[in-house]
Amino acid sequence: DKNKKDPKQKTRLKYKVKSKDTLSSIAARFLNDENMAAAIFHINRTVIPVTTHDGKLYALPPANLMIWIPCD
């Protein structure tokens, strides 16, 4: 049956990043856990730019970028 959901397939929500959003704030808002920011980055690693500051890497999604958020 084509309409049955594959239990191995994860459900995701498409989200348009707003100004001042961070991966942590998005994770806190949608997943009630800012520690899920790493999972959001992993899913979107090909579209979220990464920058370096003081030797640390930061993933900073720009406003209007469309990303996927896990939601199951």
Side-chain angles (χ1 to χ4, degrees):
D1 184 346
K2 285 195 273 186
N3 295 324
K4 281 193 175 179
K5 182 179 169 188
D6 180 351
K8 291 177 278 186
Q9 187 175 1
K10 302 288 183 191
T11 303
R12 294 181 179 162
L13 169 73
K14 194 158 198 142
Y15 174 71
K16 186 175 183 178
V17 177
K18 294 178 177 55
S19 176
K20 299 185 183 180
D21 271 347
T22 64
L23 293 179
S24 293
S25 70
I26 294 167
R29 184 177 327 130
F30 287 94
L31 306 171
N32 297 315
D33 183 356
E34 65 183 26
N35 294 317
M36 290 296 291
I40 294 172
F41 175 74
H42 180 73
I43 292 167
N44 298 282
R45 65 190 174 279
T46 60
V47 295
I48 296 176
V50 176
T51 109
T52 315
H53 182 69
D54 292 333
K56 293 183 182 178
L57 292 175
Y58 294 91
L60 302 171
N64 300 316
L65 180 70
M66 297 302 293
I67 63 170
W68 292 101
I69 299 171
C71 57
D72 67 347

